[in-house]
Amino acid sequence: MVVIPLSETSAFVIESRRPLGNDNYATDSGVLVYHVDSSVRTGRGPLYVVHGNPELRDTYDPDDVNTACLGLNENKFATFDDPTSGVSVTVISQSEVEDVVLVKRSDQAVSL
């Protein structure tokens, strides 16, 4: 898991998601991006999933995390870009048990 702080109260969280453990029910796997804002009260959306498909980000139902993952196969998008924060997350490689991503923020880049 990678946490990318955006402010004192908000961050993007990057998670490698697989149908294991608590996510045993998951029908999608890959890199899941979500936004957390601790200044928003519980029940009003302090956490929401960011869809991997940029065309669906404004219409996506955040309760359905089973179609939102980034990935390298033909049905997925490999990169998430947020121009407002300057954050970019790109999937570099994937296996059945792990994802490798490149996280960039403005001029900085970290491979995890």
Side-chain angles (χ1 to χ4, degrees):
M1 185 174 293
V2 178
V3 178
I4 306 163
L6 302 173
S7 71
E8 288 184 18
T9 61
S10 67
F12 283 119
V13 178
I14 314 303
E15 174 185 342
S16 180
R17 186 167 195 254
R18 298 289 182 276
L20 303 167
N22 289 337
D23 282 339
N24 194 38
Y25 63 88
T27 59
D28 193 16
S29 64
V31 176
L32 189 62
V33 178
Y34 47 99
H35 182 267
V36 179
D37 187 344
S38 64
S39 70
V40 177
R41 293 179 55 193
T42 299
R44 300 199 185 271
L47 180 141
Y48 64 87
V49 173
V50 179
H51 201 287
N53 180 341
E55 294 175 4
L56 298 178
R57 288 197 184 132
D58 293 332
T59 60
Y60 172 67
D61 179 358
D63 292 328
D64 185 7
V65 297
N66 290 314
T67 62
C69 290
L70 296 171
L72 295 176
N73 72 32
E74 63 187 53
N75 298 323
K76 302 225 180 258
F77 287 81
T79 300
F80 161 74
D81 288 311
D82 181 51
T84 303
S85 65
V87 170
S88 174
V89 177
T90 302
V91 180
I92 296 173
S93 68
Q94 290 186 298
S95 72
E96 290 184 18
V97 295
E98 70 180 2
D99 298 293
V100 177
V101 297
L102 176 67
V103 177
K104 293 182 182 179
R105 180 160 188 174
S106 300
D107 300 339
Q108 303 169 349
V110 179
S111 184
L112 304 167

